[in-house]
Amino acid sequence: MLRGRLIITGVSSGIGKALAEASLEAGYEVLGVGRRSCDAIESHARGQFFQADLTDPKALEAIPLLPAASGPTILINNAGTIGPIASTAEVEHEEMAYCMHLNVVAPMRLTARFLQEIEGEKQVYFTGSGAANYPIEGWAAYCASKAAVHQYAEVVAKEHPGVRIHAFRPGKVDTPMQAVIRESSSTAFADKSHFVEAFEQGELVQPQFVAQKLLKVFVSKTEIPVIFSTSNV
Ligand SMILES: NC(=O)c1ccc[n+]([C@@H]2O[C@H](COP(=O)([O-])OP(=O)(O)OC[C@H]3O[C@@H](n4cnc5c(N)ncnc54)[C@H](OP(=O)(O)O)[C@@H]3O)[C@@H](O)[C@H]2O)c1
């Protein structure tokens, strides 16, 4: 039987791809949204892909938000960018604005549409980050964007007590975004060596681990905080 329907942004790699694969395997329907799809969605009868650059307001409005035929409809606002890694005074305005648009404005608009348009049982998740609470030199846009997402989730959860709304902190996950972090210039990024060391010592979490934790949360009846770490559930 159909377990429900997931609408996941950013399914071409990393956490979104692992979640699309795991949820198709677990019996959910998946609508992937992003610039590129993934094999699991393309090859599965319950998989669907809608191409959209989430920084394009017209594309955001065109995403088909349809409810699950049975079970919950679940929105996963996952697509994101690390944004410019540079000293704040040197950051290009366009790069900063792009980061805020993709990481903050797009999930806010998609969530508003989802809450208006989807009837029945629904859940909303945001891929948050420890960077929301931990200042990292050179990452001003990213840290600010994830702090905004956490606080947005807190407010929306308060406004909609009947809807499960959460932002999850996945830890350091072995995805292309971590590769971008390791390959960035260390001039403005004092903590870079910690990220390189964590990778070299095998400390990164695999995206499949995050996906399995989320699948547990979707069906769990246990109360958890609005902002939670996937390693704690
Ligand atoms: N990896 C970590 O350690 C970590 C830690 C905390 C939080 N996160 C968060 O986890 C989320 C997923 O990141 P990831 O680590 O899995 O990295 P990733 O593999 O780089 O995934 C990013 C996803 O976002 C999509 N995307 C990027 N720009 C887009 C755009 N303009 N329009 C639509 N989709 C776009 C990418 O797909 P296309 O390029 O095909 O569009 C890709 O599927 C992000 O929100 C990130 O901030 C990651």
Side-chain angles (χ1 to χ4, degrees):
M1 196 181 109
L2 188 65
R3 299 281 296 275
R5 177 174 173 79
L6 263 73
I7 300 165
I8 311 173
T9 66
V11 290
S12 61
S13 59
I15 297 168
K17 180 180 176 209
L19 183 60
E21 289 167 351
S23 47
L24 284 166
E25 178 83 29
Y28 290 90
E29 245 174 12
V30 173
L31 171 68
V33 179
R35 295 178 301 188
R36 289 171 301 154
S37 187
C38 64
D39 289 348
I41 287 181
E42 293 302 309
S43 62
H44 206 292
R46 278 184 272 104
Q48 231 190 315
F49 180 69
F50 184 83
Q51 192 175 40
D53 182 328
L54 293 164
T55 62
D56 172 0
K58 283 206 186 100
L60 260 183
E61 299 308 317
I63 297 165
L65 300 180
L66 298 172
S70 75
T73 312
I74 304 174
L75 172 64
I76 313 284
N77 287 295
N78 167 73
T81 175
I82 188 68
I85 298 185
S87 158
T88 305
E90 325 232 301
V91 164
E92 298 285 337
H93 167 73
E94 288 74 17
E95 286 181 80
M96 178 87 82
Y98 181 87
C99 176
M100 297 310 278
H101 214 107
L102 179 61
N103 290 7
V104 184
V105 177
M108 285 171 74
R109 177 59 193 146
L110 208 51
T111 299
R113 277 196 56 206
F114 183 83
L115 291 169
Q116 282 162 3
E117 296 171 32
I118 299 293
E119 305 208 330
E121 192 193 339
K122 53 195 162 193
Q123 305 182 15
V124 180
Y125 297 84
F126 301 85
T127 310
S129 173
N133 305 100
Y134 180 78
I136 299 171
E137 284 171 63
W139 290 22
Y142 185 77
C143 292
S145 74
K146 291 298 180 181
V149 160
H150 283 203
Q151 192 65 354
Y152 180 73
E154 292 275 13
V155 173
V156 184
K158 233 177 174 178
E159 286 178 358
H160 295 79
V163 182
R164 299 195 59 180
I165 296 173
H166 295 281
F168 59 92
R169 286 187 298 252
K172 288 192 184 78
V173 192
D174 192 4
T175 70
M177 185 179 283
Q178 281 287 332
V180 170
I181 291 168
R182 289 192 300 277
E183 284 152 20
S184 64
S185 153
S186 51
T187 319
F189 176 23
D191 274 349
K192 177 175 157 169
S193 59
H194 295 139
F195 286 81
V196 173
E197 271 166 39
F199 174 71
E200 287 174 353
Q201 286 169 18
E203 288 168 10
L204 268 54
V205 171
Q206 291 307 307
Q208 291 76 11
F209 172 82
V210 177
Q212 290 303 328
K213 293 290 191 176
L214 290 173
L215 286 181
K216 264 178 64 179
V217 170
F218 298 157
V219 294
S220 166
K221 303 277 179 235
T222 311
E223 284 265 327
I224 52 171
V226 174
I227 315 294
F228 68 91
S229 294
T230 42
S231 58
N232 292 343
V233 291

